[in-house]
Structure formats: C-alpha cells, structure tokens
Amino acid sequence: LKPGSDFGMAIAQALKITKKDYHELVKKFWFKRKLTAKEFAQVLLDETRSNEVSIDYLTDQILSPVGRHSLYPEVRRNLERLYKINKLVLISDTSSLGQQMFYDLQISKFFQRVYFSCEVGLTKEEGLYQVAFKDLRVKPQEVVVVGDSLEEDYYLPLRLKSQAILIDRNNKYPSQKSIKSLDELK
C-alpha cells in the first residue's frame, strides 16, 4: 500500500484492543471467509462486544486502503520475465478486499493459478500451501516460495521442505538472508 493512515491501529484503538489482537481477528475471520467490509466490521463488533464504535466507522477504516494499492516499480517487469520461464502461482492470506485489489492491479494473467485464503477457508499456517501443492500435483521440494512474511513465506515453506526466498525491501530482518527486489530472482 502507498503511505497512508494505519487503519489497523485505528480499528484496534476504536475497539480498545491491541493491534496484534486485531490482526488475529483478521486471520481468524476475514482471511478465511468471503466477507464484505461491512460484514467484517460486524464480526469485529460481535467478537469484541464493543458498543462504543459504529459499524460505519469500522467499515470506512476497513475500506481505507482501497485506491492505495500499487505494485513496486520492478514487479510487472519481473512477472513478465518470470512468467515466460516458470509456472507462477499466487498463494495469499487475504480478504475478499485484498483479492479484489489483486485483480484491480491486472496481473492475474501472469499466474497459472491463484489461491486465496478467503476462498479456500484456510490460511497458510492452516494448510493453504498444502492444498495448493496437492491441487497442482507438485511436491513441496519442487516449489520455490517467494514472499515478504518471515514466518508464513519463509520459515513455513522451509518446514514443508520447499525452497524459500524472503523479500525484505526495507531491511526489516537484517540478520536474515533475503533479497531486496524481484530483480534479484534468476
């Protein structure tokens, strides 16, 4: 996302929960179901038993990233390059909103298949990778996972016996071997 307000923090503060607890609710509910922003706002209100914040405020905060999504400068060029020599698959823990933003970026043509947690009903931690591997009829050791989450895109695939490459554009994990850009992929 392009720089903007920290909507996750705003939602957490309005609900009087920690940002970590908010992210746990996202993973538990929004990443595993096809919910609209308003439906997820209602889940947040129900789960936190909050009556001090309106559903409209939460819905507006949830929708605030819309229009702020964009690709890093080198992504399209590298997807075009990599698509010609590899089978690319997208496996993503995301909501229906994240799914729509992906399609808005018009890059789906580069992927042989896409697996969204909100469609499958499982996050990466719960077996989304395994569902994709089985569906694609590939062994984990035949797969290279490239992503920016240290746990879900690096350590988890390694535990599954896949190869993994961490993208760390902002040096968030300085002691971890990583790449800074898709330009570094062969």
Side-chain angles (χ1 to χ4, degrees):
L1 295 176
K2 294 176 186 171
S5 66
D6 185 344
F7 63 95
M9 182 58 82
I11 292 169
Q13 288 174 340
L15 295 170
K16 296 183 174 34
I17 60 175
T18 66
K19 190 171 176 183
K20 182 180 180 197
D21 288 339
Y22 166 70
H23 283 291
E24 288 302 316
L25 291 170
V26 168
K27 288 193 313 191
K28 184 176 179 182
F29 295 101
W30 211 21
F31 280 3
K32 292 169 55 172
R33 300 181 191 169
K34 292 279 283 188
L35 300 174
T36 65
K38 191 167 193 161
E39 289 169 336
F40 180 57
Q42 187 61 57
V43 167
L44 291 172
L45 290 171
D46 293 345
E47 288 296 310
T48 60
R49 295 183 174 89
S50 177
N51 56 10
E52 296 178 23
V53 61
S54 75
I55 194 167
D56 291 333
Y57 173 80
L58 292 176
T59 302
D60 288 346
Q61 288 300 312
I62 291 165
L63 291 172
S64 68
V66 174
R68 290 182 18 214
H69 57 291
S70 63
L71 296 174
Y72 286 97
E74 90 287 356
V75 171
R76 187 173 303 278
R77 173 181 75 248
N78 280 289
L79 286 176
E80 288 172 357
R81 175 180 63 86
L82 294 166
Y83 170 77
K84 293 175 185 174
I85 56 175
N86 297 285
K87 291 181 180 177
L88 303 181
V89 175
L90 178 72
I91 302 172
S92 180
D93 283 344
T94 196
S95 65
S96 53
L97 183 61
Q99 181 182 18
Q100 185 56 54
M101 288 192 278
F102 165 77
Y103 286 114
D104 289 348
L105 294 169
Q106 300 181 351
I107 56 171
S108 62
K109 65 183 176 186
F110 299 116
F111 297 94
Q112 178 184 11
R113 292 288 311 267
V114 293
Y115 296 87
F116 295 109
S117 61
C118 64
E119 284 189 336
V120 177
L122 295 170
T123 62
K124 292 174 183 176
E125 298 177 311
E126 298 169 327
L128 185 59
Y129 283 119
Q130 293 92 323
V131 166
F133 296 165
K134 182 178 180 184
D135 185 54
L136 296 165
R137 296 188 172 114
V138 296
K139 296 176 183 167
Q141 52 271 38
E142 298 171 330
V143 175
V144 178
V145 175
V146 180
D148 63 0
S149 168
L150 184 61
E151 184 54 42
E152 284 86 8
D153 298 326
Y154 188 75
Y155 290 135
L156 179 57
L158 290 177
R159 286 194 297 272
L160 296 173
K161 307 294 187 233
S162 292
Q163 298 172 62
I165 300 172
L166 180 67
I167 299 176
D168 187 7
R169 296 176 186 278
N170 300 313
N171 207 30
K172 189 174 176 182
Y173 311 106
S175 62
Q176 185 65 50
K177 183 179 177 187
S178 63
I179 62 174
K180 302 286 181 219
S181 153
L182 293 179
D183 288 333
E184 297 177 59
L185 293 176
K186 305 270 187 238

